[in-house]
Amino acid sequence: TDRKKLHTAPVGQVFRLRPFHVLVATGGGYAGYRKYEDYKLEQLEKRGIEVPVKLASEWEVALYKSVPTRLLSRAWGRLNQVELPTWLRKPVYSLYIWTFGVNMKEAAVEDLHHYRNLSEFFRRKLKPQARPVCGVHSVISPSDGKILNFGQVKNCEVEQVKGVTYSLESFLGPRISTEEMHFSQAPPGNSFQQQLVTKEGNELYHCVIYLAPGDYHCFHSPTDWTVSHRRHFPGSLMSVNPGVARWIKELFCHNERVVLTGDWKHGFFSLTAVGATNVGSIRIYFDQDLHTNSPSYSKGSYNDFSFISNNKKEGIPMRKGEHLGEFNLGSTIVLIFEAPKDFKFNLKAGQKIRFGEALGSL
């Protein structure tokens, strides 16, 4: 009679699976599996073995998108802002340096205790002499990274990696009004690609640069040009490493991105910063109104801002090598620009490149 009664709840009330939990668990597990597959592909590539292209199906893409990468990226961003105790900074940053092969001898400040949080460490500045800007070639690399693909744009399709493409119009969005651009009306053309080419005899070119987590995270102006317009696409924040780019068609069109368009001496020029997992924050130094990875966004939407109508019709002049923006972790830069037919890239697919080195010239 002195024993206490043990009241138990029905199993269904104690352990109740919700659809959201199932999606997160399944999507997270599948994302981990894909990471392992990417690692195996990288090992095959290092051994010189060509890997056949195998694209994800619609259900695989939907499953990957079920992972709350936007929420995780915002949480990661807040964690990065937490100030670390002085005694903890060196062990934490040293682990990161060892994992991703960061060269701290290039940093303007090599003392790890100087960086109060992970965000400051990711956005560390370099010594002025660490990245000399090539003065001979007309277009330089805007960032450190790996060349995923480059060449002429054909049939309104751009290659994100060899054999995997995305739509030029889906990526850049609808044609910007010529009233917002410096250059004159483009010659009449049927395709979106023809509408971007403003001078007869020119071609449209592209270059994709992937920034790994250990790379320098700032990006710079790749040439002398004037930025006339900014278009921000809210979207997913899937990984953009080469393995995923090879797996998901139009990956860059799914992800959040900031498209800067304008003109250079040969016509149309654009630079697009593509967001990725844990890289929800894309910052453009001269654009204080830009806020990426907002909690509320509408799928398929975008917002425009004109630097001509809001900047006394002058746009934002940028000099080659000038600081342009930054990521909070590695991501991707895509250049799409117009140039004469004799423009030549000085690149090889898969090569490592550093900010300031030549991409191509006439």
Side-chain angles (χ1 to χ4, degrees):
T1 56
D2 295 332
R3 291 178 182 178
K4 295 181 179 179
K5 291 183 180 180
L6 179 64
H7 295 276
T8 59
V11 174
Q13 294 180 14
V14 176
F15 184 72
R16 181 178 298 173
L17 285 176
R18 301 179 186 276
F20 176 75
H21 297 155
V22 174
L23 284 174
V24 171
T26 308
Y30 193 74
Y33 166 75
R34 286 307 312 174
K35 285 287 187 181
Y36 174 68
E37 289 293 308
D38 295 341
Y39 171 76
K40 291 198 299 183
L41 290 176
E42 288 178 7
Q43 297 306 307
L44 291 174
E45 285 184 343
K46 288 179 180 179
R47 291 161 54 188
I49 301 174
E50 188 172 347
V51 181
V53 174
K54 183 181 179 182
L55 295 177
S57 61
E58 289 186 9
W59 72 265
E60 288 178 308
V61 176
L63 185 58
Y64 191 179
K65 282 187 172 182
S66 70
V67 181
T69 52
R70 294 179 62 84
L71 178 62
L72 292 173
S73 297
R74 285 195 295 274
W76 176 252
R78 292 185 179 181
L79 179 63
N80 288 350
Q81 298 292 333
V82 176
E83 185 170 341
L84 297 176
T86 305
W87 62 269
L88 189 58
R89 294 174 189 177
K90 189 172 182 178
V92 170
Y93 301 147
S94 295
L95 178 61
Y96 187 91
I97 291 168
W98 177 79
T99 303
F100 297 108
V102 178
N103 184 3
M104 284 302 294
K105 291 183 178 180
E106 298 177 332
V109 181
E110 296 184 40
D111 182 11
L112 298 180
H113 296 101
H114 169 80
Y115 303 100
R116 295 174 298 176
N117 52 48
L118 285 166
S119 181
E120 286 188 3
F121 179 71
F122 293 147
R123 296 181 287 107
R124 63 193 176 277
K125 304 301 180 185
L126 299 181
K127 294 173 181 174
Q129 67 275 19
R131 296 290 187 276
V133 175
C134 176
V136 178
H137 294 79
S138 55
V139 184
I140 63 168
S141 176
S143 66
D144 289 4
K146 178 182 180 180
I147 301 295
L148 292 190
N149 216 299
F150 63 92
Q152 284 190 16
V153 177
K154 298 179 180 179
N155 302 320
C156 297
E157 292 281 320
V158 186
E159 280 195 318
Q160 58 191 29
V161 294
K162 185 178 179 181
V164 183
T165 63
Y166 55 93
S167 163
L168 180 65
E169 186 169 7
S170 297
F171 182 67
L172 295 178
R175 176 85 166 105
I176 299 167
S177 169
T178 53
E179 296 178 0
E180 298 183 39
M181 309 297 283
H182 277 269
F183 44 82
S184 59
Q185 174 70 45
N190 296 325
S191 70
F192 182 80
Q193 179 178 336
Q194 291 172 324
Q195 293 175 28
L196 294 181
V197 178
T198 64
K199 297 180 181 179
E200 188 175 353
N202 280 2
E203 297 287 348
L204 207 61
Y205 297 86
H206 74 98
C207 183
V208 183
I209 305 170
Y210 167 69
L211 289 74
D215 286 328
Y216 168 56
H217 296 327
C218 296
F219 51 93
H220 301 245
S221 176
T223 191
D224 295 334
W225 65 308
T226 300
V227 183
S228 303
H229 190 272
R230 179 259 291 159
R231 177 168 284 162
H232 172 217
F233 289 85
S236 301
L237 288 173
M238 294 184 284
S239 171
V240 293
N241 74 53
V244 177
R246 188 184 295 107
W247 178 55
I248 297 181
K249 183 178 173 63
E250 298 204 333
L251 170 65
F252 299 156
C253 298
H254 288 294
N255 272 16
E256 181 153 7
R257 60 198 182 277
V258 177
V259 182
L260 300 178
T261 54
D263 67 297
W264 70 318
K265 60 183 178 181
H266 299 296
F268 174 81
F269 199 97
S270 73
L271 180 149
T272 301
V274 183
T277 308
N278 295 336
V279 197
S281 174
I282 302 171
R283 182 183 175 193
I284 304 297
Y285 294 139
F286 57 73
D287 189 355
Q288 301 302 316
D289 295 322
L290 175 65
H291 300 286
T292 58
N293 197 11
S294 171
S296 59
Y297 78 103
S298 177
K299 183 179 179 180
S301 66
Y302 63 85
N303 58 77
D304 288 337
F305 185 88
S306 171
F307 295 109
I308 291 181
S309 59
N310 292 282
N311 194 46
K312 301 179 181 179
K313 298 188 180 298
E314 295 177 358
I316 307 294
M318 297 296 300
R319 303 293 296 175
K320 183 169 65 175
E322 186 177 351
H323 278 83
L324 182 55
E326 63 188 34
F327 295 111
N328 271 341
L329 203 60
S331 194
T332 298
I333 295 286
V334 179
L335 302 179
I336 298 175
F337 57 93
E338 173 186 358
K341 291 183 177 180
D342 56 351
F343 181 87
K344 300 294 182 184
F345 283 103
N346 303 316
L347 302 170
K348 292 181 180 179
Q351 78 171 71
K352 293 288 291 183
I353 198 166
R354 304 204 303 176
F355 155 62
E357 294 179 345
L359 287 183
S361 189
L362 296 170

